[in-house]
PDB file of all heavy atoms in Angstrom:
ATOM      1  N   GLY A  11     -16.110  81.443 -27.132  1.00  0.00           N
ATOM      2  CA  GLY A  11     -16.573  82.647 -26.447  1.00  0.00           C
ATOM      3  C   GLY A  11     -17.872  82.441 -25.699  1.00  0.00           C
ATOM      4  O   GLY A  11     -18.036  82.905 -24.562  1.00  0.00           O
ATOM      5  N   GLY A  12     -18.813  81.725 -26.313  1.00  0.00           N
ATOM      6  CA  GLY A  12     -20.077  81.453 -25.647  1.00  0.00           C
ATOM      7  C   GLY A  12     -19.891  80.597 -24.410  1.00  0.00           C
ATOM      8  O   GLY A  12     -20.547  80.796 -23.380  1.00  0.00           O
ATOM      9  N   HIS A  13     -18.984  79.632 -24.499  1.00  0.00           N
ATOM     10  CA  HIS A  13     -18.687  78.751 -23.374  1.00  0.00           C
ATOM     11  C   HIS A  13     -18.153  79.554 -22.185  1.00  0.00           C
ATOM     12  O   HIS A  13     -18.570  79.342 -21.039  1.00  0.00           O
ATOM     13  CB  HIS A  13     -17.659  77.723 -23.836  1.00  0.00           C
ATOM     14  CG  HIS A  13     -17.386  76.616 -22.863  1.00  0.00           C
ATOM     15  ND1 HIS A  13     -18.314  75.674 -22.521  1.00  0.00           N
ATOM     16  CD2 HIS A  13     -16.259  76.303 -22.163  1.00  0.00           C
ATOM     17  CE1 HIS A  13     -17.783  74.815 -21.658  1.00  0.00           C
ATOM     18  NE2 HIS A  13     -16.540  75.176 -21.425  1.00  0.00           N
ATOM     19  N   LEU A  14     -17.229  80.477 -22.471  1.00  0.00           N
ATOM     20  CA  LEU A  14     -16.656  81.288 -21.391  1.00  0.00           C
ATOM     21  C   LEU A  14     -17.681  82.278 -20.844  1.00  0.00           C
ATOM     22  O   LEU A  14     -17.746  82.506 -19.628  1.00  0.00           O
ATOM     23  CB  LEU A  14     -15.427  82.042 -21.897  1.00  0.00           C
ATOM     24  CG  LEU A  14     -14.239  81.204 -22.355  1.00  0.00           C
ATOM     25  CD1 LEU A  14     -13.067  82.106 -22.723  1.00  0.00           C
ATOM     26  CD2 LEU A  14     -13.815  80.211 -21.287  1.00  0.00           C
ATOM     27  N   ALA A  15     -18.463  82.874 -21.731  1.00  0.00           N
ATOM     28  CA  ALA A  15     -19.450  83.864 -21.283  1.00  0.00           C
ATOM     29  C   ALA A  15     -20.530  83.215 -20.423  1.00  0.00           C
ATOM     30  O   ALA A  15     -20.983  83.790 -19.426  1.00  0.00           O
ATOM     31  CB  ALA A  15     -20.074  84.562 -22.482  1.00  0.00           C
ATOM     32  N   THR A  16     -20.961  81.997 -20.790  1.00  0.00           N
ATOM     33  CA  THR A  16     -21.963  81.292 -19.999  1.00  0.00           C
ATOM     34  C   THR A  16     -21.402  80.882 -18.648  1.00  0.00           C
ATOM     35  O   THR A  16     -22.102  80.913 -17.632  1.00  0.00           O
ATOM     36  CB  THR A  16     -22.461  80.052 -20.763  1.00  0.00           C
ATOM     37  OG1 THR A  16     -22.945  80.463 -22.045  1.00  0.00           O
ATOM     38  CG2 THR A  16     -23.577  79.355 -20.018  1.00  0.00           C
ATOM     39  N   ASN A  17     -20.113  80.490 -18.628  1.00  0.00           N
ATOM     40  CA  ASN A  17     -19.383  80.301 -17.366  1.00  0.00           C
ATOM     41  C   ASN A  17     -20.079  79.305 -16.442  1.00  0.00           C
ATOM     42  O   ASN A  17     -20.242  79.543 -15.251  1.00  0.00           O
ATOM     43  CB  ASN A  17     -19.221  81.654 -16.664  1.00  0.00           C
ATOM     44  CG  ASN A  17     -18.167  81.641 -15.563  1.00  0.00           C
ATOM     45  OD1 ASN A  17     -17.343  80.726 -15.495  1.00  0.00           O
ATOM     46  ND2 ASN A  17     -18.209  82.633 -14.706  1.00  0.00           N
ATOM     47  N   ARG A  18     -20.458  78.165 -16.996  1.00  0.00           N
ATOM     48  CA  ARG A  18     -21.159  77.171 -16.191  1.00  0.00           C
ATOM     49  C   ARG A  18     -20.218  76.500 -15.193  1.00  0.00           C
ATOM     50  O   ARG A  18     -19.016  76.346 -15.445  1.00  0.00           O
ATOM     51  CB  ARG A  18     -21.787  76.102 -17.084  1.00  0.00           C
ATOM     52  CG  ARG A  18     -22.981  76.585 -17.881  1.00  0.00           C
ATOM     53  CD  ARG A  18     -23.788  75.414 -18.404  1.00  0.00           C
ATOM     54  NE  ARG A  18     -24.924  75.867 -19.205  1.00  0.00           N
ATOM     55  CZ  ARG A  18     -26.071  76.281 -18.698  1.00  0.00           C
ATOM     56  NH1 ARG A  18     -26.209  76.341 -17.385  1.00  0.00           N
ATOM     57  NH2 ARG A  18     -27.062  76.667 -19.484  1.00  0.00           N
ATOM     58  N   SER A  19     -20.786  76.063 -14.098  1.00  0.00           N
ATOM     59  CA  SER A  19     -20.009  75.372 -13.074  1.00  0.00           C
ATOM     60  C   SER A  19     -19.303  74.150 -13.629  1.00  0.00           C
ATOM     61  O   SER A  19     -18.154  73.871 -13.289  1.00  0.00           O
ATOM     62  CB  SER A  19     -20.934  74.964 -11.922  1.00  0.00           C
ATOM     63  OG  SER A  19     -20.267  74.118 -11.013  1.00  0.00           O
ATOM     64  N   CYS A  20     -19.997  73.405 -14.496  1.00  0.00           N
ATOM     65  CA  CYS A  20     -19.481  72.131 -15.002  1.00  0.00           C
ATOM     66  C   CYS A  20     -18.832  72.282 -16.381  1.00  0.00           C
ATOM     67  O   CYS A  20     -18.811  71.335 -17.170  1.00  0.00           O
ATOM     68  CB  CYS A  20     -20.596  71.103 -15.064  1.00  0.00           C
ATOM     69  SG  CYS A  20     -22.045  71.661 -16.007  1.00  0.00           S
ATOM     70  N   ALA A  21     -18.302  73.459 -16.697  1.00  0.00           N
ATOM     71  CA  ALA A  21     -17.709  73.710 -18.010  1.00  0.00           C
ATOM     72  C   ALA A  21     -16.612  72.698 -18.329  1.00  0.00           C
ATOM     73  O   ALA A  21     -15.826  72.316 -17.458  1.00  0.00           O
ATOM     74  CB  ALA A  21     -17.144  75.127 -18.058  1.00  0.00           C
ATOM     75  N   ASP A  22     -16.545  72.273 -19.583  1.00  0.00           N
ATOM     76  CA  ASP A  22     -15.548  71.285 -19.995  1.00  0.00           C
ATOM     77  C   ASP A  22     -14.223  71.908 -20.405  1.00  0.00           C
ATOM     78  O   ASP A  22     -13.163  71.335 -20.133  1.00  0.00           O
ATOM     79  CB  ASP A  22     -16.094  70.473 -21.180  1.00  0.00           C
ATOM     80  CG  ASP A  22     -17.222  69.547 -20.769  1.00  0.00           C
ATOM     81  OD1 ASP A  22     -16.957  68.606 -20.016  1.00  0.00           O
ATOM     82  OD2 ASP A  22     -18.362  69.780 -21.194  1.00  0.00           O
ATOM     83  N   LEU A  23     -14.257  73.058 -21.062  1.00  0.00           N
ATOM     84  CA  LEU A  23     -13.035  73.650 -21.603  1.00  0.00           C
ATOM     85  C   LEU A  23     -12.327  74.563 -20.594  1.00  0.00           C
ATOM     86  O   LEU A  23     -11.099  74.677 -20.609  1.00  0.00           O
ATOM     87  CB  LEU A  23     -13.370  74.446 -22.867  1.00  0.00           C
ATOM     88  CG  LEU A  23     -12.202  74.860 -23.754  1.00  0.00           C
ATOM     89  CD1 LEU A  23     -11.460  73.640 -24.280  1.00  0.00           C
ATOM     90  CD2 LEU A  23     -12.699  75.727 -24.916  1.00  0.00           C
ATOM     91  N   ILE A  24     -13.084  75.202 -19.708  1.00  0.00           N
ATOM     92  CA  ILE A  24     -12.493  76.188 -18.797  1.00  0.00           C
ATOM     93  C   ILE A  24     -11.405  75.581 -17.904  1.00  0.00           C
ATOM     94  O   ILE A  24     -10.348  76.198 -17.722  1.00  0.00           O
ATOM     95  CB  ILE A  24     -13.579  76.898 -17.979  1.00  0.00           C
ATOM     96  CG1 ILE A  24     -14.420  77.789 -18.909  1.00  0.00           C
ATOM     97  CG2 ILE A  24     -12.981  77.734 -16.859  1.00  0.00           C
ATOM     98  CD1 ILE A  24     -15.594  78.471 -18.230  1.00  0.00           C
ATOM     99  N   PRO A  25     -11.586  74.376 -17.308  1.00  0.00           N
ATOM    100  CA  PRO A  25     -10.487  73.835 -16.502  1.00  0.00           C
ATOM    101  C   PRO A  25      -9.182  73.696 -17.284  1.00  0.00           C
ATOM    102  O   PRO A  25      -8.101  74.031 -16.778  1.00  0.00           O
ATOM    103  CB  PRO A  25     -11.022  72.477 -16.048  1.00  0.00           C
ATOM    104  CG  PRO A  25     -12.502  72.639 -16.054  1.00  0.00           C
ATOM    105  CD  PRO A  25     -12.787  73.527 -17.237  1.00  0.00           C
ATOM    106  N   ALA A  26      -9.264  73.213 -18.527  1.00  0.00           N
ATOM    107  CA  ALA A  26      -8.060  73.052 -19.338  1.00  0.00           C
ATOM    108  C   ALA A  26      -7.421  74.402 -19.655  1.00  0.00           C
ATOM    109  O   ALA A  26      -6.191  74.538 -19.645  1.00  0.00           O
ATOM    110  CB  ALA A  26      -8.397  72.305 -20.627  1.00  0.00           C
ATOM    111  N   LEU A  27      -8.243  75.407 -19.937  1.00  0.00           N
ATOM    112  CA  LEU A  27      -7.697  76.735 -20.217  1.00  0.00           C
ATOM    113  C   LEU A  27      -7.053  77.347 -18.982  1.00  0.00           C
ATOM    114  O   LEU A  27      -6.017  78.025 -19.071  1.00  0.00           O
ATOM    115  CB  LEU A  27      -8.805  77.648 -20.748  1.00  0.00           C
ATOM    116  CG  LEU A  27      -9.336  77.300 -22.145  1.00  0.00           C
ATOM    117  CD1 LEU A  27     -10.546  78.175 -22.478  1.00  0.00           C
ATOM    118  CD2 LEU A  27      -8.253  77.468 -23.200  1.00  0.00           C
ATOM    119  N   LEU A  28      -7.638  77.121 -17.813  1.00  0.00           N
ATOM    120  CA  LEU A  28      -7.005  77.581 -16.573  1.00  0.00           C
ATOM    121  C   LEU A  28      -5.665  76.885 -16.368  1.00  0.00           C
ATOM    122  O   LEU A  28      -4.669  77.519 -15.993  1.00  0.00           O
ATOM    123  CB  LEU A  28      -7.919  77.314 -15.382  1.00  0.00           C
ATOM    124  CG  LEU A  28      -9.107  78.252 -15.196  1.00  0.00           C
ATOM    125  CD1 LEU A  28     -10.008  77.735 -14.072  1.00  0.00           C
ATOM    126  CD2 LEU A  28      -8.647  79.676 -14.871  1.00  0.00           C
ATOM    127  N   ALA A  29      -5.634  75.580 -16.614  1.00  0.00           N
ATOM    128  CA  ALA A  29      -4.392  74.828 -16.446  1.00  0.00           C
ATOM    129  C   ALA A  29      -3.309  75.295 -17.406  1.00  0.00           C
ATOM    130  O   ALA A  29      -2.111  75.143 -17.139  1.00  0.00           O
ATOM    131  CB  ALA A  29      -4.658  73.336 -16.632  1.00  0.00           C
ATOM    132  N   ALA A  30      -3.717  75.881 -18.532  1.00  0.00           N
ATOM    133  CA  ALA A  30      -2.773  76.386 -19.530  1.00  0.00           C
ATOM    134  C   ALA A  30      -2.424  77.849 -19.332  1.00  0.00           C
ATOM    135  O   ALA A  30      -1.712  78.434 -20.153  1.00  0.00           O
ATOM    136  CB  ALA A  30      -3.354  76.187 -20.927  1.00  0.00           C
ATOM    137  N   SER A  31      -2.927  78.479 -18.254  1.00  0.00           N
ATOM    138  CA  SER A  31      -2.680  79.903 -17.981  1.00  0.00           C
ATOM    139  C   SER A  31      -3.148  80.780 -19.137  1.00  0.00           C
ATOM    140  O   SER A  31      -2.465  81.731 -19.544  1.00  0.00           O
ATOM    141  CB  SER A  31      -1.196  80.163 -17.683  1.00  0.00           C
ATOM    142  OG  SER A  31      -0.787  79.434 -16.557  1.00  0.00           O
ATOM    143  N   ALA A  32      -4.323  80.479 -19.672  1.00  0.00           N
ATOM    144  CA  ALA A  32      -4.860  81.229 -20.801  1.00  0.00           C
ATOM    145  C   ALA A  32      -5.273  82.631 -20.383  1.00  0.00           C
ATOM    146  O   ALA A  32      -5.640  82.881 -19.225  1.00  0.00           O
ATOM    147  CB  ALA A  32      -6.065  80.493 -21.385  1.00  0.00           C
ATOM    148  N   THR A  33      -5.210  83.544 -21.339  1.00  0.00           N
ATOM    149  CA  THR A  33      -5.720  84.894 -21.148  1.00  0.00           C
ATOM    150  C   THR A  33      -6.864  85.137 -22.123  1.00  0.00           C
ATOM    151  O   THR A  33      -6.964  84.478 -23.166  1.00  0.00           O
ATOM    152  CB  THR A  33      -4.627  85.950 -21.365  1.00  0.00           C
ATOM    153  OG1 THR A  33      -4.058  85.790 -22.682  1.00  0.00           O
ATOM    154  CG2 THR A  33      -3.520  85.810 -20.331  1.00  0.00           C
ATOM    155  N   VAL A  34      -7.724  86.075 -21.770  1.00  0.00           N
ATOM    156  CA  VAL A  34      -8.923  86.347 -22.553  1.00  0.00           C
ATOM    157  C   VAL A  34      -8.911  87.798 -23.019  1.00  0.00           C
ATOM    158  O   VAL A  34      -8.686  88.715 -22.214  1.00  0.00           O
ATOM    159  CB  VAL A  34     -10.194  86.077 -21.723  1.00  0.00           C
ATOM    160  CG1 VAL A  34     -11.448  86.382 -22.535  1.00  0.00           C
ATOM    161  CG2 VAL A  34     -10.213  84.636 -21.231  1.00  0.00           C
ATOM    162  N   ALA A  35      -9.134  88.002 -24.306  1.00  0.00           N
ATOM    163  CA  ALA A  35      -9.264  89.348 -24.865  1.00  0.00           C
ATOM    164  C   ALA A  35     -10.743  89.718 -24.903  1.00  0.00           C
ATOM    165  O   ALA A  35     -11.539  89.032 -25.553  1.00  0.00           O
ATOM    166  CB  ALA A  35      -8.666  89.402 -26.267  1.00  0.00           C
ATOM    167  N   ARG A  36     -11.109  90.779 -24.172  1.00  0.00           N
ATOM    168  CA  ARG A  36     -12.462  91.311 -24.218  1.00  0.00           C
ATOM    169  C   ARG A  36     -12.382  92.756 -24.706  1.00  0.00           C
ATOM    170  O   ARG A  36     -11.292  93.298 -24.905  1.00  0.00           O
ATOM    171  CB  ARG A  36     -13.119  91.283 -22.827  1.00  0.00           C
ATOM    172  CG  ARG A  36     -13.183  89.926 -22.186  1.00  0.00           C
ATOM    173  CD  ARG A  36     -14.174  89.866 -21.037  1.00  0.00           C
ATOM    174  NE  ARG A  36     -14.037  90.931 -20.053  1.00  0.00           N
ATOM    175  CZ  ARG A  36     -14.717  91.010 -18.911  1.00  0.00           C
ATOM    176  NH1 ARG A  36     -15.592  90.055 -18.606  1.00  0.00           N
ATOM    177  NH2 ARG A  36     -14.546  92.008 -18.066  1.00  0.00           N
ATOM    178  N   VAL A  37     -13.516  93.373 -24.895  1.00  0.00           N
ATOM    179  CA  VAL A  37     -13.500  94.756 -25.370  1.00  0.00           C
ATOM    180  C   VAL A  37     -12.889  95.688 -24.324  1.00  0.00           C
ATOM    181  O   VAL A  37     -12.464  96.793 -24.649  1.00  0.00           O
ATOM    182  CB  VAL A  37     -14.914  95.235 -25.752  1.00  0.00           C
ATOM    183  CG1 VAL A  37     -15.418  94.481 -26.965  1.00  0.00           C
ATOM    184  CG2 VAL A  37     -15.880  95.103 -24.589  1.00  0.00           C
ATOM    185  N   ASP A  38     -12.826  95.237 -23.069  1.00  0.00           N
ATOM    186  CA  ASP A  38     -12.240  96.073 -22.020  1.00  0.00           C
ATOM    187  C   ASP A  38     -10.791  95.695 -21.722  1.00  0.00           C
ATOM    188  O   ASP A  38     -10.234  96.107 -20.700  1.00  0.00           O
ATOM    189  CB  ASP A  38     -13.077  95.998 -20.735  1.00  0.00           C
ATOM    190  CG  ASP A  38     -13.211  94.582 -20.192  1.00  0.00           C
ATOM    191  OD1 ASP A  38     -12.828  93.632 -20.910  1.00  0.00           O
ATOM    192  OD2 ASP A  38     -13.685  94.427 -19.049  1.00  0.00           O
ATOM    193  N   GLY A  39     -10.142  94.914 -22.589  1.00  0.00           N
ATOM    194  CA  GLY A  39      -8.731  94.593 -22.407  1.00  0.00           C
ATOM    195  C   GLY A  39      -8.468  93.106 -22.302  1.00  0.00           C
ATOM    196  O   GLY A  39      -9.368  92.278 -22.452  1.00  0.00           O
ATOM    197  N   ASP A  40      -7.199  92.772 -22.053  1.00  0.00           N
ATOM    198  CA  ASP A  40      -6.769  91.384 -21.911  1.00  0.00           C
ATOM    199  C   ASP A  40      -6.672  91.033 -20.430  1.00  0.00           C
ATOM    200  O   ASP A  40      -6.099  91.792 -19.639  1.00  0.00           O
ATOM    201  CB  ASP A  40      -5.408  91.167 -22.578  1.00  0.00           C
ATOM    202  CG  ASP A  40      -5.459  91.372 -24.083  1.00  0.00           C
ATOM    203  OD1 ASP A  40      -6.572  91.410 -24.642  1.00  0.00           O
ATOM    204  OD2 ASP A  40      -4.384  91.498 -24.697  1.00  0.00           O
ATOM    205  N   TRP A  41      -7.195  89.841 -20.077  1.00  0.00           N
ATOM    206  CA  TRP A  41      -7.276  89.448 -18.685  1.00  0.00           C
ATOM    207  C   TRP A  41      -6.884  87.988 -18.510  1.00  0.00           C
ATOM    208  O   TRP A  41      -7.215  87.153 -19.353  1.00  0.00           O
ATOM    209  CB  TRP A  41      -8.716  89.601 -18.169  1.00  0.00           C
ATOM    210  CG  TRP A  41      -9.261  90.978 -18.272  1.00  0.00           C
ATOM    211  CD1 TRP A  41      -9.881  91.540 -19.344  1.00  0.00           C
ATOM    212  CD2 TRP A  41      -9.234  91.984 -17.255  1.00  0.00           C
ATOM    213  NE1 TRP A  41     -10.256  92.828 -19.064  1.00  0.00           N
ATOM    214  CE2 TRP A  41      -9.876  93.124 -17.793  1.00  0.00           C
ATOM    215  CE3 TRP A  41      -8.759  92.017 -15.941  1.00  0.00           C
ATOM    216  CZ2 TRP A  41     -10.024  94.283 -17.054  1.00  0.00           C
ATOM    217  CZ3 TRP A  41      -8.910  93.178 -15.212  1.00  0.00           C
ATOM    218  CH2 TRP A  41      -9.531  94.299 -15.764  1.00  0.00           C
ATOM    219  N   PRO A  42      -6.216  87.645 -17.395  1.00  0.00           N
ATOM    220  CA  PRO A  42      -6.074  86.223 -17.057  1.00  0.00           C
ATOM    221  C   PRO A  42      -7.472  85.617 -16.892  1.00  0.00           C
ATOM    222  O   PRO A  42      -8.357  86.236 -16.297  1.00  0.00           O
ATOM    223  CB  PRO A  42      -5.315  86.241 -15.728  1.00  0.00           C
ATOM    224  CG  PRO A  42      -4.648  87.585 -15.675  1.00  0.00           C
ATOM    225  CD  PRO A  42      -5.545  88.524 -16.409  1.00  0.00           C
ATOM    226  N   LEU A  43      -7.656  84.423 -17.392  1.00  0.00           N
ATOM    227  CA  LEU A  43      -8.982  83.806 -17.365  1.00  0.00           C
ATOM    228  C   LEU A  43      -9.546  83.730 -15.951  1.00  0.00           C
ATOM    229  O   LEU A  43     -10.734  84.009 -15.742  1.00  0.00           O
ATOM    230  CB  LEU A  43      -8.907  82.405 -17.975  1.00  0.00           C
ATOM    231  CG  LEU A  43     -10.171  81.540 -17.882  1.00  0.00           C
ATOM    232  CD1 LEU A  43     -11.369  82.232 -18.510  1.00  0.00           C
ATOM    233  CD2 LEU A  43      -9.928  80.183 -18.525  1.00  0.00           C
ATOM    234  N   GLU A  44      -8.744  83.367 -14.979  1.00  0.00           N
ATOM    235  CA  GLU A  44      -9.261  83.193 -13.625  1.00  0.00           C
ATOM    236  C   GLU A  44      -9.900  84.463 -13.087  1.00  0.00           C
ATOM    237  O   GLU A  44     -10.903  84.415 -12.373  1.00  0.00           O
ATOM    238  CB  GLU A  44      -8.153  82.717 -12.687  1.00  0.00           C
ATOM    239  CG  GLU A  44      -8.684  82.345 -11.305  1.00  0.00           C
ATOM    240  CD  GLU A  44      -7.621  81.808 -10.370  1.00  0.00           C
ATOM    241  OE1 GLU A  44      -6.417  81.930 -10.696  1.00  0.00           O
ATOM    242  OE2 GLU A  44      -7.976  81.286  -9.310  1.00  0.00           O
ATOM    243  N   GLN A  45      -9.323  85.629 -13.436  1.00  0.00           N
ATOM    244  CA  GLN A  45      -9.885  86.899 -12.961  1.00  0.00           C
ATOM    245  C   GLN A  45     -11.285  87.145 -13.510  1.00  0.00           C
ATOM    246  O   GLN A  45     -12.107  87.800 -12.857  1.00  0.00           O
ATOM    247  CB  GLN A  45      -8.980  88.065 -13.365  1.00  0.00           C
ATOM    248  CG  GLN A  45      -7.733  88.206 -12.523  1.00  0.00           C
ATOM    249  CD  GLN A  45      -6.973  89.462 -12.891  1.00  0.00           C
ATOM    250  OE1 GLN A  45      -5.803  89.407 -13.255  1.00  0.00           O
ATOM    251  NE2 GLN A  45      -7.622  90.593 -12.824  1.00  0.00           N
ATOM    252  N   LEU A  46     -11.565  86.639 -14.707  1.00  0.00           N
ATOM    253  CA  LEU A  46     -12.845  86.935 -15.355  1.00  0.00           C
ATOM    254  C   LEU A  46     -13.985  86.056 -14.866  1.00  0.00           C
ATOM    255  O   LEU A  46     -15.150  86.386 -15.082  1.00  0.00           O
ATOM    256  CB  LEU A  46     -12.708  86.774 -16.867  1.00  0.00           C
ATOM    257  CG  LEU A  46     -11.761  87.746 -17.555  1.00  0.00           C
ATOM    258  CD1 LEU A  46     -11.841  87.567 -19.058  1.00  0.00           C
ATOM    259  CD2 LEU A  46     -12.062  89.187 -17.177  1.00  0.00           C
ATOM    260  N   LEU A  47     -13.677  84.953 -14.218  1.00  0.00           N
ATOM    261  CA  LEU A  47     -14.736  84.039 -13.807  1.00  0.00           C
ATOM    262  C   LEU A  47     -15.637  84.641 -12.738  1.00  0.00           C
ATOM    263  O   LEU A  47     -16.780  84.215 -12.573  1.00  0.00           O
ATOM    264  CB  LEU A  47     -14.128  82.724 -13.313  1.00  0.00           C
ATOM    265  CG  LEU A  47     -13.335  81.938 -14.364  1.00  0.00           C
ATOM    266  CD1 LEU A  47     -12.779  80.657 -13.768  1.00  0.00           C
ATOM    267  CD2 LEU A  47     -14.181  81.632 -15.594  1.00  0.00           C
ATOM    268  N   ASP A  48     -15.138  85.634 -12.011  1.00  0.00           N
ATOM    269  CA  ASP A  48     -15.937  86.312 -10.991  1.00  0.00           C
ATOM    270  C   ASP A  48     -16.430  87.685 -11.443  1.00  0.00           C
ATOM    271  O   ASP A  48     -17.062  88.397 -10.675  1.00  0.00           O
ATOM    272  CB  ASP A  48     -15.114  86.510  -9.714  1.00  0.00           C
ATOM    273  CG  ASP A  48     -15.138  85.281  -8.817  1.00  0.00           C
ATOM    274  OD1 ASP A  48     -16.205  84.658  -8.702  1.00  0.00           O
ATOM    275  OD2 ASP A  48     -14.088  84.936  -8.259  1.00  0.00           O
ATOM    276  N   SER A  49     -16.134  88.072 -12.692  1.00  0.00           N
ATOM    277  CA  SER A  49     -16.433  89.429 -13.133  1.00  0.00           C
ATOM    278  C   SER A  49     -17.723  89.470 -13.947  1.00  0.00           C
ATOM    279  O   SER A  49     -18.172  88.445 -14.461  1.00  0.00           O
ATOM    280  CB  SER A  49     -15.276  89.973 -13.985  1.00  0.00           C
ATOM    281  OG  SER A  49     -15.246  89.329 -15.250  1.00  0.00           O
ATOM    282  N   PRO A  50     -18.335  90.649 -14.085  1.00  0.00           N
ATOM    283  CA  PRO A  50     -19.525  90.768 -14.940  1.00  0.00           C
ATOM    284  C   PRO A  50     -19.189  90.409 -16.379  1.00  0.00           C
ATOM    285  O   PRO A  50     -18.062  90.607 -16.830  1.00  0.00           O
ATOM    286  CB  PRO A  50     -19.905  92.244 -14.819  1.00  0.00           C
ATOM    287  CG  PRO A  50     -19.240  92.718 -13.579  1.00  0.00           C
ATOM    288  CD  PRO A  50     -17.980  91.918 -13.442  1.00  0.00           C
ATOM    289  N   PRO A  51     -20.131  89.853 -17.132  1.00  0.00           N
ATOM    290  CA  PRO A  51     -19.846  89.453 -18.511  1.00  0.00           C
ATOM    291  C   PRO A  51     -19.582  90.658 -19.408  1.00  0.00           C
ATOM    292  O   PRO A  51     -20.075  91.756 -19.165  1.00  0.00           O
ATOM    293  CB  PRO A  51     -21.117  88.708 -18.934  1.00  0.00           C
ATOM    294  CG  PRO A  51     -22.186  89.243 -18.034  1.00  0.00           C
ATOM    295  CD  PRO A  51     -21.518  89.556 -16.735  1.00  0.00           C
ATOM    296  N   ASP A  52     -18.795  90.454 -20.423  1.00  0.00           N
ATOM    297  CA  ASP A  52     -18.518  91.468 -21.438  1.00  0.00           C
ATOM    298  C   ASP A  52     -18.258  90.720 -22.736  1.00  0.00           C
ATOM    299  O   ASP A  52     -18.113  89.494 -22.742  1.00  0.00           O
ATOM    300  CB  ASP A  52     -17.305  92.315 -21.031  1.00  0.00           C
ATOM    301  CG  ASP A  52     -17.274  93.669 -21.733  1.00  0.00           C
ATOM    302  OD1 ASP A  52     -18.019  93.834 -22.716  1.00  0.00           O
ATOM    303  OD2 ASP A  52     -16.516  94.554 -21.307  1.00  0.00           O
TER     304      ASP A  52
END
């Protein structure tokens, strides 16, 4: 969660999760990971 929330340019896990079509559960619902990379943190 911290890795995704920090959302660094050089993140190690995020590319693999994108390649796996991962979704993210936040308090505001479930989202495709790619949509959240441009959104405000939650």
Side-chain angles (χ1 to χ4, degrees):
H13 188 67
L14 297 184
T16 304
N17 196 16
R18 289 197 182 279
S19 171
C20 54
D22 290 293
L23 194 61
I24 292 176
L27 291 173
L28 284 173
S31 300
T33 56
V34 179
R36 303 197 310 186
V37 293
D38 58 349
D40 295 345
W41 301 86
L43 173 57
E44 188 177 12
Q45 283 186 237
L46 295 186
L47 297 180
D48 276 320
S49 72
D52 201 346

